[in-house]
Amino acid sequence: RLPYHPMLKEGKTWLYKYHHYEEKFDEDNMITGYDEYLTDYSYVLRGDTVINGEQAFKMYRESENGSSVYFAAWIEQDKRIYRIINGETEKTLYYDFNLKRDFLWNDYASGTTVLHHIDTLTVNERKYNLYHFFSYYFEEEYFDWVEGIGDYYEGILENGLSVRPTCVCDYLSFEKCFEDGVQIYPQVIIPNAISSIPSSRKDDETVYDLQGRIVTTPQRNGLYIKNGKKFIAH
């Protein structure tokens, strides 16, 4: 493996977009679709604190309107990343970068998964260890972890919507990660250069429902997942 890339650092920022949907109706009061509204949210490590005798980084959620709210504390110990949500004292293990190949990890959505293999991801001239997990339930590679960044698709807020949704369709999408004021993820595309982000699952046209089941005929206005992203069928 490459030398370990720490996850937590003062000022480190994960940028997300909050997707909010509002129903559209026709003259017969029938739903004809949804209007989408986007809001930028930044999750920033700023300052530290001590919880139960352990040193932790404080994280704030900042929105594009200038508001800033304390969200959680994060602890990094021996390549393990823990979160303590605001108002709680117990820490929850989010990532364990000590895992070795064939280690079984219980994921809340896919049940038992196995660390299938570890390889290298090169992003913006930096190299990271990339952990690939295989789901026995879905019988496919299900999610990936990137040292120093978090979940390949969802960043540090893996498997969690940390903004109170106002519609069942609302969701957060991970956009970028910054360290020392420099974008470290995803790949910055330079003209005439080849992106080094792997293509795993990018070209998978399979459609899933929110429970991870394959859908052959999406229902109109239903919310589904394809290529690791949520979308509304039309």
Side-chain angles (χ1 to χ4, degrees), residues 7 11 85-86 118 120 128 177:
M7 177 83 75
I85 199 70
N86 186 16
I118 302 172
T120 300
Y128 304 87
C177 181

Side-chain angles (χ1 to χ4, degrees), residues 38 91 109 126 155 165 228:
L38 301 177
K91 63 183 183 182
R126 300 189 185 196

Side-chain angles (χ1 to χ4, degrees), residues 21 107-110 138 140-142 151 153-154 159 168-172 201-219 221-233:
Y21 293 90
D107 177 69
Y108 90 99
S110 62
F138 294 122
E140 66 177 13
E141 193 171 287
Y142 187 64
D151 183 271
Y153 291 100
E154 300 190 32
N159 293 329
V168 68
C169 299
D170 293 357
Y171 68 98
L172 279 179
R201 297 206 303 273
K202 275 183 160 183
D203 300 324
D204 180 11
E205 294 298 318
T206 306
V207 176
Y208 302 89
D209 64 16
L210 297 185
Q211 285 71 50
R213 297 169 297 202
I214 295 177
V215 177
T216 56
T217 307
Q219 298 298 310
N221 296 326
L223 184 64
Y224 300 96
I225 299 173
K226 183 170 70 173
N227 295 327
K229 300 290 186 180
K230 295 180 182 177
F231 74 98
I232 294 176

